[in-house]
Amino acid sequence: MTASADTFMTLCQLLEPFNTAKITLKPETDISGDLNIDSVSVMDFVMEVEDHFNIDIPLNVLSETRSIADLVKVVEDRLAKGGTQ
């Protein structure tokens, strides 16, 4: 399994409590749109992602992140830069 696949699987596990509709999570799944979760829940999820990976995701980057694939890229980019900055 590649690093991206590992990151995707971890994000899906972290996202599971927020997936109340129990839709199948795919890389193209829109985190707020497809899962129908509000902005407060999205922020809770992002905090869990930051804690799990020990990274910070700036709000300007987060505002451009829609799909799970987008978030995988953000997480891996942040990890490559040394996590918290």
Side-chain angles (χ1 to χ4, degrees), residues 10 13-16 36 39 61 67-68 70 84:
T10 300
Q13 291 169 349
L14 293 172
L15 195 53
E16 201 57 43
N36 198 27
S39 59
V61 172
S67 69
I68 297 174
D70 292 342
T84 58

Side-chain angles (χ1 to χ4, degrees), residues 53-68:
F53 289 101
N54 194 30
I55 59 173
D56 287 325
I57 302 173
L59 288 177
N60 64 322
V61 172
L62 187 58
S63 68
E64 300 169 2
T65 305
R66 297 280 175 242
S67 69
I68 297 174

